[in-house]
Amino acid sequence: MSARVYSMPMLSRTLPIARNAFREAVRDRVLYNLIIFALLLIAGAIFLGALSAGQEAKIIVDLGLSSILLFGVFIAIFVGVGLVYKEIERRTLYAILSKPVGRGEFLLGKYLGLCLTLLVNVLIMGVGLSLALVLVKRGFDPLVIRIWPAILLIYVELTILTGVALLFSSFSSPALSALLTFFVFTIGHFSADLKTLAQAMAGAPARWLFSGLYYLLPNLASYNIITPSAHGVLPDARPVILAIVYGLIYVCVLLAATTLIFRRRNLK
Amino acid sequence: MKKDYLLVLIILVGLSAAALVTHWSDAQPRNTAAQFAEEPLYLNGAAMKRLTLAFNGVASDWYWIRSLQYVGRKIVTFEDSHDGRFNLNDLSVLDLRALPALLRMSTTLDPQFMEPYYYGAVILPDIDPAAAISLLHQGIAANPNQWRLYQHLGYIYWQRRDYEKASEVYAAGARLPGAPLWMTAISARMKAEGGSRGAAREMYRHLREVSNDEAVKDMVAKQITRLDSLDERDLISDALREYGAVSGRCASSWREVASTLRARGLRSDSSGAPLDPTGTPYRLTKNGCEVDLDEKSAVPKS
């Protein structure tokens, strides 16, 4: 399987970049956040039982899934905005681009590397959360399985956010990129309000503007199933599949736009 | 090296000074925490839900814990100023004015979170019955298949002596999938004899069966004790009346009716005084013509 993959020219150039981006993230101690996550869960499991009147499992799921999202958002934003910038700053980008590697392939490699970092991060946190639930429930509970669709959707949301961070970092400074990505994350969770606002507008131009924003900005609210998951509610398969398909399409669009901008960027 | 010692010294002295200032500040006579606890919430639930983005679950949990701590802190403050005496059956003395808003915030942020509804149904009727009913209606609107919400709403109407409404709510809850059969029975009982002691006993029994909250179970247990005591006092009153009819006067001591009371299955102490469900002897009142709880009795008065 891997021989066949490496026989494909583009992947053979992209995957080493991805692997390198992952190694770099690990070297930069990005995964240290797992320690904070573990401490948070242990503290939650020990103290919340006494404070929440028997609601410790729900609170641990809320706390755990929200932490997975929050840590993931921080990694996606702060590592994502530095992916290209650091390579330019350290001038390693020139060495890479002097080889037969296209700018698009470089970006794709970097993107996949960070997605791999996020995947490892999210998987370890998810397993940690499941173990915390086993501990709190003193054995297996269906909730241990039922949190995983929410974890999957959080991961898809993070891949979109990484794409957004990469897009902004392709033409602006890391600080501004981080700020803009955070705005997109915030507005992405307000998408239902954008639609309502568009419907409430009297003038046609304002209606088009808000409708346009609603359809153009990523609809991140559909990735939030943390609350029902904490009650052990399994989501219907259809919205989950639709959200994944939407995420894939949106990531393709973001990577294409990033490549388009980055190709035109004067690196001299 | 010398500089290192100096820095370590600065850190140690600084931390000690900070701890001293905190200690001194805590000792100052002010009650900021209590003042802030009573402040109304600045944001309504809908606005808060938007602001919390994807973290509404955690925010809901936080408001739930804050609600519990708010009540707990009020009980501690009350007990501190009233020699440790607090009766869970009279929550109105606690002045829990911020509780309805806190519970509403928690349930607006997470409408499927059932515990705040159940907690509100038991605690709020003493403080703000309209808020309790409104919270339960909000819960039913968000969770139309949860029969326990109907049970709690029926309980509130029953407490307000609105037996017709209580019966309707129980009947509506009984039609839901998974609702126990007794919901139908209690609906009928509410209609026929809502104010009876038997209906009350049944209500409390079912409430105790479905509740996970120890405080609620404790409150229900005390109410059942009160009902048991009322039944016993009826028996004792009958015995005292019969004694009066036969002897032409009221009993001067329990010894005079002790054998009758024992024959009716009542427990008594060595002096022949009947014991209430908590083991405290009843006392004779109105020159031996009537019976009442002793002042030291743990049986709730209401």
Side-chain angles (χ1 to χ4, degrees):
Chain A
M1 179 68 187
S2 75
R4 233 175 65 195
V5 167
Y6 277 90
S7 70
M8 295 161 81
M10 195 186 117
L11 278 180
S12 67
R13 290 190 293 270
T14 307
L15 289 184
I17 297 172
R19 221 171 21 231
N20 200 49
F22 174 71
R23 275 200 207 121
E24 202 178 334
V26 174
R27 262 203 308 270
D28 282 347
R29 299 177 178 89
V30 166
L31 298 180
Y32 271 25
N33 73 88
L34 293 172
I35 298 169
I36 303 171
F37 179 78
L39 290 175
L40 199 73
L41 281 189
I42 292 165
I46 294 169
F47 298 115
L48 290 177
L51 286 175
S52 63
Q55 297 304 301
E56 56 265 56
K58 179 210 181 290
I59 292 178
I60 280 185
V61 173
D62 278 333
L63 197 67
L65 292 178
S66 299
S67 304
I68 293 175
L69 177 61
L70 193 68
F71 286 123
V73 167
F74 281 141
I75 294 173
I77 293 180
F78 292 110
V79 181
V81 297
L83 281 178
V84 177
Y85 182 82
K86 269 161 81 177
E87 298 286 350
I88 297 173
E89 181 124 288
R90 289 189 304 210
R91 302 192 172 276
T92 43
L93 178 69
Y94 304 102
I96 296 167
L97 294 182
S98 65
K99 291 178 178 141
V101 176
R103 289 189 185 191
E105 288 164 347
F106 167 75
L107 286 174
L108 182 64
K110 284 285 180 186
Y111 174 78
L112 291 177
L114 185 49
C115 284
L116 182 63
T117 311
L118 285 167
L119 181 67
V120 170
N121 211 48
V122 165
L123 277 178
I124 295 175
M125 287 192 197
V127 171
L129 179 57
S130 300
L131 289 175
L133 277 174
V134 170
L135 181 81
V136 163
K137 291 275 184 182
R138 292 190 174 83
F140 179 78
D141 187 272
L143 201 57
V144 173
I145 302 294
R146 288 172 181 211
I147 56 170
W148 282 92
I151 295 173
L152 172 69
L153 288 188
I154 287 174
Y155 178 67
V156 179
E157 180 177 350
L158 293 176
T159 61
I160 295 176
L161 213 60
T162 306
V164 175
L166 200 61
L167 171 70
F168 287 131
S169 71
S170 67
F171 63 86
S172 69
S173 67
L176 187 62
S177 302
L179 193 68
L180 292 172
T181 311
F182 182 73
F183 282 161
V184 170
F185 171 70
T186 309
I187 298 168
H189 281 278
F190 278 107
S191 52
D193 292 297
L194 282 175
K195 194 179 182 185
T196 314
L197 207 61
Q199 285 161 351
M201 286 289 157
R207 217 168 32 238
W208 291 335
L209 174 73
F210 286 109
S211 293
L213 283 174
Y214 171 68
Y215 287 111
L216 287 178
L217 289 168
N219 182 359
L220 300 179
S222 55
Y223 295 95
N224 177 20
I225 55 164
I226 293 176
T227 315
S229 289
H231 298 295
V233 177
L234 271 177
D236 290 337
R238 207 169 140 177
V240 173
I241 292 167
L242 276 176
I244 294 169
V245 170
Y246 174 83
L248 282 172
I249 294 170
Y250 210 90
V251 164
C252 289
V253 171
L254 287 169
L255 288 177
T258 312
T259 310
L260 199 67
I261 296 166
F262 195 59
R263 266 190 192 156
R264 283 154 200 268
R265 188 163 168 178
N266 186 0
L267 293 170
K268 283 175 190 164
Chain B
M1 195 64 181
K2 236 178 181 179
K3 273 183 183 170
D4 284 356
Y5 282 128
L6 186 66
L7 289 172
V8 171
L9 190 70
I10 290 171
I11 292 167
L12 290 176
V13 170
L15 283 177
S16 309
L20 271 175
V21 171
T22 308
H23 183 72
W24 176 79
S25 172
D26 287 347
Q28 296 307 300
R30 63 198 161 104
N31 199 3
T32 330
Q35 187 187 326
F36 282 124
E38 295 305 341
E39 271 197 23
L41 302 177
Y42 296 116
L43 293 169
N44 65 27
M48 189 57 137
K49 197 169 186 175
R50 284 195 179 88
L51 287 178
T52 49
L53 302 176
F55 306 104
N56 54 315
V58 173
S60 167
D61 299 339
W62 187 76
Y63 275 103
W64 165 238
I65 292 174
R66 198 175 144 188
S67 309
L68 296 175
Q69 288 190 317
Y70 175 70
V71 176
R73 218 172 281 139
K74 286 279 189 173
I75 292 173
V76 170
T77 311
F78 182 86
E79 286 182 339
D80 283 350
S81 57
H82 292 79
D83 302 327
R85 273 184 296 180
F86 168 68
N87 180 4
L88 196 63
N89 299 299
D90 186 14
L91 292 159
S92 57
V93 295
L94 293 180
D95 184 23
L96 298 166
R97 72 185 96 145
L99 188 64
L102 288 170
L103 293 174
R104 187 166 285 275
M105 184 67 94
S106 179
T107 52
T108 307
L109 288 166
D110 181 356
Q112 274 71 50
F113 192 10
M114 292 296 146
E115 287 311 305
Y117 297 121
Y118 301 153
Y119 189 70
V122 176
I123 305 284
L124 288 184
D126 274 354
I127 308 152
D128 186 347
I133 290 171
S134 163
L135 185 74
L136 266 294
H137 277 297
Q138 180 199 337
I140 287 171
N143 308 277
N145 287 324
Q146 288 286 341
W147 62 266
R148 280 183 64 187
L149 289 172
Y150 287 87
Q151 184 202 5
H152 280 90
L153 184 60
Y155 171 71
I156 296 171
Y157 281 123
W158 170 77
Q159 277 182 309
R160 288 165 64 93
R161 300 183 207 286
D162 190 346
Y163 306 122
E164 193 67 34
K165 194 81 186 159
S167 170
E168 277 173 32
V169 171
Y170 273 105
R175 286 193 288 270
L176 295 177
L181 285 172
W182 55 257
M183 287 280 283
T184 313
I186 212 160
S187 167
R189 194 158 189 182
M190 281 294 121
K191 207 163 204 165
E193 40 157 345
S196 76
R197 221 174 274 166
R201 198 184 294 278
E202 199 174 342
M203 289 277 299
Y204 285 127
R205 193 164 52 82
H206 292 310
L207 198 61
R208 185 170 57 181
E209 278 167 11
V210 298
S211 179
N212 300 320
D213 191 326
E214 286 307 316
V216 172
K217 286 188 174 189
D218 186 47
M219 182 275 286
V220 169
K222 281 183 175 158
Q223 285 300 331
I224 291 175
T225 306
R226 185 176 69 88
L227 295 174
D228 290 343
S229 171
L230 285 170
D231 286 349
E232 287 176 354
R233 276 177 272 172
D234 283 351
L235 284 174
I236 298 168
S237 291
D238 282 349
L240 290 173
R241 244 191 322 273
E242 281 169 22
Y243 180 82
V246 172
S247 65
R249 64 174 178 88
C250 292
S252 57
S253 74
W254 284 117
R255 231 174 262 289
E256 293 170 22
V257 286
S259 57
T260 318
L261 295 177
R262 267 198 299 275
R264 290 179 186 189
L266 288 156
R267 298 178 304 143
S268 58
D269 64 6
S270 55
S271 70
L275 299 173
D276 71 23
T278 63
T280 310
Y282 286 107
R283 64 187 175 91
L284 281 168
T285 58
K286 298 194 178 162
N287 295 322
C289 295
E290 285 180 25
V291 60
D292 202 356
L293 286 168
D294 191 89
E295 278 173 9
K296 289 178 201 148
S297 174
V299 175
K301 308 279 184 295
S302 59

